[in-house]
Amino acid sequence: MEYGILGPVEVRDGGADIPLDGPKQRTVLAALLIAEGSFLPDTELSRFLWGERPPRTLNAQIYTYVSRIRRTLGPRAVINRGPHGYLMEIGAASFDLAEFRKLALRGQLELVAGRYPEASGLLRAALALWRGPVLADVSEQLAASEGPPIEEARISALASRIEADLAVGMHQQVLPELTRLVGQYPLHERFRAQLMTALYRCDRQAEALALYDSGRRMLAGDLGLEPGPLLREVHQAILSADPVLHRPSGRPWPSRSG
């Protein structure tokens, strides 16, 4: 059995999709999976399903959704009832969020250890588990509560994968991707610093400096802030033509996220 929430909620058994009946059932299943072996209180399930205006029959309705999930998944998925909530045990089944976290952690450790090809491979494998926007077909309440921290973990893994690629001299290969990411996340300083580094290595120093200036103006205008230490360090290195910017097999800058 395979469970997935990194995109639309899905369950697969032997390669075949197991249909889930409606957004409420998908919401309950996704919430139980995200709890990862911890009891999920009825109050939390109610909030994920109905927000601040639950029905009077909320306990009966939650019980019905859980019963339907049990029937749909069969005996290999155990959902236990506690005093005030539910706990799901998936046994030997796979869960894409748990697999993502495991691979991403291993990749981060390889990056810190300076084993850049290994780090890139592990982080690519972690990111390949994503099938689209996380929790794409659940309630607005669950997506708003649990989606942002999971998405932040994806962005962190992506920035680390790019860092590993830059460390082995893949600046030309990652340049288009970084250009798109800076456009998508203009306030993310780590992506901007990486793009500045890639541009500089491609003999496009003026564009790298212009990228810093546009980021500085954006930060000052939107937030009243100056660029952080990472951007300032890369900017100064470009101005001084620091050889550290050309190192193909070392990580010149700390892993700060913006």
Side-chain angles (χ1 to χ4, degrees), residues 174-195:
V174 300
L175 193 58
E177 182 181 16
L178 278 170
T179 301
R180 175 181 58 80
L181 287 169
V182 169
Q184 187 176 0
Y185 305 102
L187 297 179
H188 195 289
E189 295 194 15
R190 191 175 175 192
F191 286 145
R192 188 173 293 268
Q194 289 172 333
L195 179 55

Side-chain angles (χ1 to χ4, degrees), residues 88-153:
M88 183 173 182
E89 299 177 6
I90 64 173
S94 66
F95 175 35
D96 61 0
L97 177 59
E99 183 67 14
F100 167 81
R101 286 171 172 163
K102 180 177 69 175
L103 289 168
L105 176 59
R106 289 174 57 198
Q108 297 280 5
L109 292 174
E110 293 290 339
L111 184 65
V112 171
R115 293 186 285 268
Y116 305 112
E118 294 84 353
S120 178
L122 287 164
L123 291 163
R124 283 180 189 278
L127 293 163
L129 295 170
W130 290 69
R131 296 169 286 106
V134 64
L135 297 168
D137 53 357
V138 301
S139 70
E140 293 181 5
Q141 294 86 352
L142 179 62
S145 175
E146 302 299 321
I150 298 173
E151 173 64 12
E152 183 59 35

Side-chain angles (χ1 to χ4, degrees), residues 203-214:
D203 298 320
R204 295 164 65 175
Q205 176 179 336
E207 292 175 69
L209 292 173
L211 187 66
Y212 175 82
D213 287 338
S214 65

Side-chain angles (χ1 to χ4, degrees), residues 225-247:
L225 298 174
E226 289 297 314
L230 176 58
L231 275 179
R232 295 199 304 270
E233 288 170 14
V234 176
H235 179 244
Q236 185 57 46
I238 292 173
L239 290 174
S240 61
D242 193 327
V244 74
L245 287 167
H246 281 291
R247 288 182 184 169

